[in-house]
Amino acid sequence: GDSVTQMEGPVTLSEEAFLTINCTYTATGYPSLFWYVQYPGEGLQLLLKATKADDKGSNKGFEATYRKETTSFHLEKGSVQVSDSAVYFCALSDRVSFGNEKLTFGTGTRLTIIP
Amino acid sequence: NAGVTQTPKFQVLKTGQSMTLQCAQDMNHEYMSWYRQDPGMGLRLIHYSVGAGITDQGEVPNGYNVSRSTTEDFPLRLLSAAPSQTSVYFCASSQLGQTYEQYFGPGTRLTVT
């Protein structure tokens, strides 16, 4: 079945540091890939997405490139801020049939940015 | 536009008690789903629905029941609570065909003693 593997957390960085959170996946079809973010006390929000190989998703300074050859979708940001402190989830959606599209989530990576 | 709302925010149950977690959305989304979030396990799908009157099981359906009588509401029922059901529960909704972009509620933190 489908699965998503994220780097273990927690991750603690200083403000303005470079961020990478690794994500690799296993899927039988042609999945779309996503990063969701969960801020403290809130539900998850879609951060960015990529629907085919070599696509780059970007939002709020975060980027991730869909690499089919390495089955990866690593999240990066050049200069993190305290407000980026949150839990980040990598996810994939593999459409089985119309109306039967399920998200498979990784375990999440907790990121803390210190001033 | 309230988005996805969940009640209650917190709940403590004794083993064997039953309860219903409420979920409502005002975006006219056909697809709704329930997840549980446990430390080190990410989110796991409990049940989902692709429209009123249509529900199906997800990855971890045992001990939970759902129904979908309207587009807006998708309650989750715990039939006989067990300590293993201690978790944070999230409801989410999306348009059919765009279920990758799910809108999540704020969650219900449930403790079963």
Side-chain angles (χ1 to χ4, degrees):
Chain A
D2 298 341
S3 67
V4 175
T5 303
Q6 285 183 238
M7 71 186 278
E8 294 282 329
V11 174
T12 303
L13 295 172
S14 297
E15 207 166 19
E16 298 183 5
F18 184 85
L19 168 72
T20 300
I21 300 177
N22 290 338
C23 170
T24 57
Y25 68 89
T26 303
T28 51
Y30 298 93
S32 297
L33 302 173
F34 312 92
W35 279 98
Y36 275 78
V37 58
Q38 184 181 26
Y39 297 106
E42 299 182 10
L44 281 71
Q45 308 173 20
L46 180 64
L47 178 61
L48 55 83
K49 66 178 190 262
T51 57
K52 61 183 188 299
D54 299 324
D55 268 2
K56 178 185 282 189
S58 61
N59 187 23
K60 300 183 181 180
F62 291 89
E63 293 183 340
T65 301
Y66 187 166
R67 301 282 188 206
K68 191 162 181 282
E69 63 276 12
T70 54
T71 62
S72 65
F73 192 56
H74 305 321
L75 183 68
E76 297 182 334
K77 186 174 186 183
S79 177
V80 292
Q81 307 300 313
V82 172
S83 58
D84 295 326
S85 297
V87 181
Y88 292 82
F89 292 89
C90 187
L92 70 81
S93 172
D94 203 352
R95 182 183 292 195
V96 178
S97 60
F98 186 77
N100 186 14
E101 302 167 21
K102 298 172 191 170
L103 281 174
T104 300
F105 288 90
T107 54
T109 301
R110 182 175 300 277
L111 173 68
T112 302
I113 308 300
I114 52 178
Chain B
N1 213 0
V4 179
T5 57
Q6 291 183 238
T7 55
K9 288 186 75 70
F10 302 94
Q11 183 70 49
V12 179
L13 289 178
K14 292 189 187 323
T15 297
Q17 288 184 316
S18 62
M19 80 159 294
T20 299
L21 307 185
Q22 301 292 343
C23 173
Q25 53 92 8
D26 61 1
M27 297 173 282
N28 204 31
H29 286 164
E30 303 95 337
Y31 186 94
M32 296 186 74
S33 53
W34 277 101
Y35 293 88
R36 58 178 289 173
Q37 183 182 29
D38 301 295
M41 302 196 74
L43 275 77
R44 293 181 292 169
L45 182 66
I46 304 171
H47 285 286
Y48 68 98
S49 168
V50 298
I54 307 168
T55 63
D56 206 349
Q57 296 180 351
E59 185 184 352
V60 288
N62 292 341
Y64 307 96
N65 212 349
V66 293
S67 60
R68 182 105 178 263
S69 55
T70 67
T71 299
E72 294 79 18
D73 300 299
F74 191 44
L76 178 73
R77 278 181 283 279
L78 279 70
L79 308 172
S80 176
S84 60
Q85 294 179 304
T86 294
S87 188
V88 180
Y89 291 86
F90 289 101
C91 179
S93 74
S94 71
Q95 294 180 0
L96 268 183
Q98 292 185 6
T99 52
Y100 55 81
E101 186 163 2
Q102 297 192 24
Y103 294 79
F104 283 79
T108 295
R109 183 174 293 276
L110 175 69
T111 303
V112 182
T113 61

